[in-house]
Amino acid sequence: MVAEAQAIKAKLEEEATVVAFTEKVGPDGRTFGSITNKKIADELQKQFGLKIDKRNIKVDSPIRSIGLIDVPVKIYQDVTSVIRLRVTEG
């Protein structure tokens, strides 16, 4: 199980692994909706085929701004990683 977690960590930390979101943005630069743990987990599954439990994605508060955001992910007991989200206006 630890070896599998290490393999997931390696895949998440590759340079090309950026989870992309396109959101509608208001005049103040904030998104109309927010990006939650569930949305991040769904996009990881859809874009990279990685199944990560939404409870293991550590977002302090829902993301409502555009740009690059680093989000910590707990993969296994002592295996954690950081994924990069790219939120763009769409």
Side-chain angles (χ1 to χ4, degrees), residues 18-26 29-32 35 63-69 85-90:
V18 176
V19 184
F21 289 91
T22 303
E23 299 287 324
K24 290 185 180 179
V25 178
R30 293 171 53 91
T31 61
F32 284 114
I35 298 172
I63 298 165
R64 296 187 50 104
S65 60
I66 59 173
L68 288 174
I69 300 135
L85 308 181
R86 176 180 292 129
V87 183
T88 56
E89 185 175 352

Side-chain angles (χ1 to χ4, degrees), residues 12-78:
L12 285 174
E13 291 180 349
E14 289 176 4
E15 281 186 40
T17 306
V18 176
V19 184
F21 289 91
T22 303
E23 299 287 324
K24 290 185 180 179
V25 178
D28 62 350
R30 293 171 53 91
T31 61
F32 284 114
S34 59
I35 298 172
T36 61
N37 297 11
K38 181 171 178 9
K39 274 188 166 180
I40 296 169
D42 291 346
E43 285 299 314
L44 280 169
Q45 176 72 36
K46 187 165 74 172
Q47 292 180 24
F48 303 102
L50 295 172
K51 186 162 176 63
I52 305 282
D53 191 320
K54 68 180 181 181
R55 294 173 293 197
N56 293 337
I57 299 171
K58 307 299 179 188
V59 176
D60 294 330
S61 60
I63 298 165
R64 296 187 50 104
S65 60
I66 59 173
L68 288 174
I69 300 135
D70 291 334
V71 177
V73 177
K74 182 177 180 181
I75 302 167
Y76 195 64
Q77 292 170 351
D78 294 329

